[in-house]
C-alpha cells in the first residue's frame, strides 16, 4: 500500500484525540519500537544518556525551522532543536552513546499540512567515536530492521488493524537497503519530472517522489557543502562534498534518518561556522572543547514519530503523537 500525498485533516480537540482507539494503537507500536531500540543499541554497546533540554546554542542545521528562546537567569538560551553538539561533547566519556531526545523546532506554518512536521518531536540520537559513515549506516539499518522485526512479533494484530501488511516490510526485513548519491538522486528526480537543485537539500516533494518510487529503504549520500550544518565533515578527497547521508523509507513516508561523519578539527569547525553565517562566539563552550580535542565520530538522528508513522501507515505525524503541536497552530 503506497502512501499518497493528501493534506491531512487537523487534529481533533486534545481530549478526543487522547481517547481515540487509533492513538492507543499507535502508542502501543511506539512503546514496542522504543523497547526494541534500547535493546538493539545496548546490545551494540551503546550507553543511554538523558539529553539536555536548554543551552546557550542549539543545532543551527534545521531546514527553515527556528529555535525557541528561553530566559535562563538573564541569559538568552535556546530550547534544543537537536542535541548534536552535546553528543560530540560526550564522546570522551561515552564513546558509544544514544539519547531518546525531545526536540522543539518552530517550523514554518506552511509545513502544517505535509503530515511530516511537528513543533515538538523526539529523535533516537546516536553517536559513535572513531566511526565512519558506513559504520553508523550499518547501525541505522540494523536498528530499523530490529524495530520492524520486533513490532511484527510483539503487536502484529495492532499493525494489521491499522491496515499494515507484513509483506510491505519483506525487503527491509531481508536486509535490503539501497544507496545513491545526492547527485544521482537529482538526476533520478529530473527523469521523474521534478527539478531539484543540485546545491541544496532534497526538497519535501522530491523526497516524497523518491520515496514512492522505491521498494525498500535507501540511503542518499554526499550532500553538497552548504546544504547542511557546519558539523558535517567535508570529504577530504572531494572538496564541496559532505560525508553525510539520509535514510529514506519507501512507500511515500520519506526521510527517517539524517546522519554524518562529524568535523572534529577546531580550526575547520570555526571556518565552517563562518562560511555558514554562524557567529563562533555563540559556541564558546563547544569550541573550548573542540580546542581541547573532540573525538572524530559519526552519528545520526532517527525521527521517532516518523518511524512510528512508517510502522503504522498512518497519514500524519499528529496521529502518532499523544500531544501534537502542528506548525503555526496554537494547541495545548
Amino acid at each position: 500500500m503506497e502512501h499518497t500525498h493528501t493534506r491531512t485533516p487537523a487534529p481533533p480537540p486534545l481530549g478526543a484525540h487522547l481517547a481515540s482507539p487509533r492513538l492507543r494503537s499507535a502508542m502501543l507500536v511506539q512503546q514496542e519500537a522504543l523497547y526494541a531500540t534500547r535493546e538493539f543499541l545496548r546490545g551494540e554497546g551503546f550507553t543511554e544518556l538523558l539529553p539536555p533540554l536548554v543551552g546557550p546554542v542549539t543545532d543551527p542545521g534545521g531546514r527553515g525551522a527556528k529555535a525557541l528562546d528561553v530566559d535562563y537567569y538573564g541569559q538568552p538560551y535556546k530550547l534544543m532543536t537537536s542535541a548534536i553538539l552535546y553528543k560530540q561533547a560526550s564522546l570522551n566519556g561515552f564513546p558509544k552513546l544514544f539519547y531518546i531526545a525531545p526536540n522543539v523546532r518552530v517550523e514554518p506554518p506552511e509545513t502544517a499540512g505535509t503530515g511530516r512536521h511537528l513543533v515538538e518531536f523526539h529523535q533516537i540520537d546516536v553517536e559513535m567515536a572513531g566511526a565512519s559513515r558506513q559504520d553508523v549506516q550499518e547501525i541505522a539499518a540494523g536498528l530499523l530492521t530490529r524495530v520492524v522485526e520486533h513490532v511484527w512479533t510483539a503487536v502484529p494484530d495492532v499493525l494489521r488493524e491499522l491496515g499494515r501488511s507484513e509483506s510491505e516490510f519483506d525487503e527491509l526485513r531481508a536486509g535490503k537497503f539501497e544507496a545513491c548519491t545526492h547527485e544521482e538522486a537529482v538526476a533520478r528526480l529530473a527523469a521523474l519530472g521534478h527539478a531539484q537543485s543540485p546545491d541544496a537539500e532534497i526538497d519535501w516533494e522530491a523526497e516524497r517522489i523518491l520515496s514512492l518510487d522505491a521498494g525498500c529503504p535507501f540511503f542518499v549520500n554526499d550532500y553538497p557543502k552548504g546544504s547542511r550544518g557546519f558539523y558535517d565533515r567535508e570529504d577530504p578527497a572531494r572538496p564541496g562534498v559532505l560525508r553525510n547521508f539520509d535514510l529514506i523509507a519507501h512507500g511515500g513516508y520519506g526521510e527517517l534518518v539524517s546522519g554524518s561523519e562529524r568535523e572534529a578539527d577546531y580550526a575547520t569547525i570555526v571556518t565552517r561556522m563562518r562560511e555558514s553565517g554562524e557567529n563562533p562566539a555563540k559556541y564558546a563552550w563547544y569550541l573550548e572543547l573542540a580546542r581541547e580535542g573532540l573525538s572524530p565520530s559519526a552519528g545520526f538522528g532517527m525521527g521517532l514519530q516518523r518511524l512510528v508513522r512508517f510502522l503504522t501507515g498512518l497519514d500524519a505525524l499528529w496521529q502518532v503523537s499523544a500531544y501534537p503541536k502542528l506548525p503555526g497552530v496554537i494547541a495545548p
Side-chain angles (χ1 to χ4, degrees):
M1 180 176 67
E2 287 191 338
H3 177 79
T4 53
H5 186 59
T6 54
R7 189 177 173 91
T8 54
L14 186 59
H17 174 63
L18 286 166
S20 72
R22 181 178 60 193
L23 179 68
R24 177 165 180 78
S25 295
M27 292 302 93
L28 290 173
V29 173
Q30 176 177 282
Q31 178 170 268
E32 297 300 337
L34 284 168
Y35 175 90
T37 294
R38 289 186 161 104
E39 181 186 57
F40 175 79
L41 290 172
R42 288 177 62 177
E44 293 289 330
F46 288 81
T47 301
E48 181 174 4
L49 301 182
L50 296 177
L53 301 180
V54 300
V57 285
T58 186
D59 174 9
R63 284 201 247 187
K66 295 187 174 71
L68 276 177
D69 295 319
V70 178
D71 182 341
Y72 188 75
Y73 300 102
Q75 295 296 312
Y77 268 39
K78 303 284 186 187
L79 282 178
M80 286 297 118
T81 60
S82 158
I84 166 66
L85 304 181
Y86 292 89
K87 287 198 299 182
Q88 276 190 283
S90 305
L91 288 165
N92 286 338
F94 302 91
K96 297 173 82 171
L97 71 114
F98 75 99
Y99 307 139
I100 308 297
N103 292 173
V104 177
R105 296 185 188 177
V106 185
E107 299 279 2
E110 58 268 23
T111 62
T114 65
R116 299 184 53 248
H117 295 86
L118 292 171
V119 174
E120 291 182 347
F121 64 99
H122 294 75
Q123 283 199 119
I124 301 162
D125 247 323
V126 174
E127 200 73 16
M128 191 173 172
S132 67
R133 174 171 66 188
Q134 184 176 345
D135 293 332
V136 293
Q137 285 182 330
E138 287 173 7
I139 293 291
L143 171 57
L144 183 57
T145 305
R146 174 69 64 85
V147 168
V148 168
E149 287 287 356
H150 178 76
V151 295
W152 277 104
T153 302
V155 286
D157 294 347
V158 173
L159 292 168
R160 288 191 190 102
E161 282 170 17
L162 289 167
R164 283 311 241 170
S165 161
E166 275 194 81
S167 64
E168 295 169 87
F169 300 92
D170 282 350
E171 290 194 344
L172 189 165
R173 292 168 81 177
K176 188 170 183 189
F177 286 77
E178 293 181 345
C180 66
T181 64
H182 180 275
E183 188 176 10
E184 287 165 346
V186 170
R188 189 184 300 175
L189 285 161
L192 292 167
H194 183 88
Q196 163 66 46
S197 166
D199 303 314
E201 286 222 76
I202 292 170
D203 63 53
W204 310 125
E205 180 61 14
E207 204 178 277
R208 187 184 73 85
I209 291 166
L210 291 174
S211 181
L212 283 169
D213 195 47
C216 64
F218 62 97
F219 290 103
V220 180
N221 296 321
D222 299 341
Y223 281 73
K225 185 179 174 182
S227 67
R228 291 283 179 91
F230 61 79
Y231 41 77
D232 281 13
R233 181 169 171 256
E234 189 172 3
D235 192 327
R238 294 181 298 161
V241 176
L242 299 174
R243 295 278 300 162
N244 63 0
F245 68 93
D246 280 352
L247 175 59
I248 296 179
H250 59 293
Y253 294 92
E255 177 206 310
L256 294 182
V257 177
S258 272
S260 72
E261 293 177 11
R262 312 302 187 192
E263 187 52 67
D265 176 70
Y266 170 78
T268 308
I269 291 170
V270 173
T271 300
R272 290 285 304 281
M273 282 179 174
R274 291 191 173 125
E275 287 173 350
S276 65
E278 289 295 316
N279 176 8
K282 294 193 313 188
Y283 295 86
W285 74 267
Y286 172 74
L287 288 174
E288 192 173 320
L289 287 173
R291 196 184 283 112
E292 293 166 5
L294 289 171
S295 293
S297 68
F300 62 83
M302 178 182 286
L304 176 62
Q305 283 79 11
R306 288 185 179 181
L307 171 62
V308 176
R309 178 179 170 236
F310 171 61
L311 296 169
T312 58
L314 291 171
D315 290 327
L317 290 191
W318 69 258
Q319 295 170 328
V320 298
S321 175
Y323 314 104
K325 290 185 174 62
L326 282 170
V329 178
I330 305 302

